[in-house]
Structure formats: C-alpha cells, structure tokens
C-alpha cells in the first residue's frame, strides 16, 4: 500500500460533483426561512393554548420584530399556541409577551445562531401566562 493515494470526498461534495453542481453548499442547503424565536404560549393553570389575543415582540439591540401567531390550516379554532419572530437572524434577544388579564411574560439573553446556510437555528421557548389575581 505504499505510495497509494486515496481520495476522500464528503457525500454532499461528491453528490454536487456527480450532479454537475458547482456549489456543494447549494446541494446541502434547502431554500427555507426559519424564525429565530418560537414561543409556545399557554395559560399557566390549565395548559390551554393562549397565543390568541397575545401581543409580543423580540428585541436585539435596536432591532425589534413583532411576534406573530402561527396556525396550521387544519388547526382547531382558538388552538393557536405558537408565536414566531425574527426570521433568519442571529442575535441575543429579549422576548416580551402580554395579554389582557395576565401578567407580562419576559425572557432575556436568548442566544440565537444562524446555520451556515443562512437560516436561523430556532430557539424554542415555553411561555406559561399567569392570570392576574
């Protein structure tokens, strides 16, 4: 085996070469966009979905983005639990939620990184809203 040379390729690079792609990253990176922050919003005592009627935002320095409610097309009415914001953006975020009849919910120092393909490595948070007494 002396003098024998072996070539090693990663599977995505080899696939890119075989398929005629000049950019191996293009074969690995789907065209997706992901939120930096995803918050599951529930009522603290009943664990029922509570995103409907909740307002919120994320902030990283001067950057601010509203949290929006995500509901799947076949979801049960009033079943929204998820709110998302800051698509494809790295940062260190503060997250603020408020809903009438509940205490304000806060989270801070939430670190989000971006995948080498450019989409956010989504951080999932659970927010249990406490009713005012």
């Amino acid at each position: 085996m002396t003098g024998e040379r072996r070539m090693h390729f990663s599977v995505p690079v080899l696939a890119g070469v075989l398929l005629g792609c000049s950019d191996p990253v293009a074969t690995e990176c789907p065209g997706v966009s992901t939120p930096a922050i995803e918050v599951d919003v529930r009522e603290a005592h009943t664990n029922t979905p509570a995103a409907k009627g909740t307002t919120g935002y994320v902030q990283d320095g001067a950057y601010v983005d509203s949290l929006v409610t995500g509901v799947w097309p076949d979801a049960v009415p009033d079943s929204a639990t998820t709110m998302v914001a800051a698509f494809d953006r790295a940062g260190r975020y503060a997250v603020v939620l408020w809903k009438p009849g509940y205490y304000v919910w806060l989270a801070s120092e939430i670190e989000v990184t971006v995948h080498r393909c450019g989409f956010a490595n989504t951080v999932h948070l659970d927010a249990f809203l406490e009713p005012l007494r």
Side-chain angles (χ1 to χ4, degrees):
M1 299 248 184
T2 307
E4 185 176 313
R5 292 185 186 204
R6 294 182 183 202
M7 298 181 79
H8 299 279
F9 294 99
S10 71
V11 172
V13 170
L14 185 56
V17 171
L18 294 176
L19 295 174
C21 297
S22 61
D23 183 5
V25 172
T27 62
E28 295 177 30
C29 296
V32 298
S33 183
T34 59
I37 304 289
E38 179 179 88
V39 186
D40 184 46
V41 185
R42 295 187 172 272
E43 204 277 342
H45 298 285
T46 65
N47 200 37
T48 57
K52 184 176 180 181
T54 300
T55 305
Y57 66 89
V58 299
Q59 182 171 2
D60 173 32
Y63 175 83
V64 178
D65 191 23
S66 297
L67 282 155
V68 295
T69 305
V71 177
W72 302 112
D74 59 348
V76 176
D78 298 329
S79 67
T81 60
T82 305
M83 299 183 80
V84 296
F87 280 77
D88 301 327
R89 190 176 185 286
R92 179 168 290 162
Y93 292 93
V95 182
V96 180
L97 297 173
W98 64 93
K99 183 173 183 169
Y102 293 86
Y103 288 101
V104 172
W105 184 89
L106 303 167
S108 61
E109 301 296 316
I110 308 301
E111 187 74 31
V112 177
T113 59
V114 172
H115 186 273
R116 69 184 180 81
C117 292
F119 55 84
N121 293 310
T122 304
V123 172
H124 303 273
L125 303 171
D126 292 316
F128 293 96
L129 301 182
E130 289 283 342
L132 294 171
R133 298 197 161 96

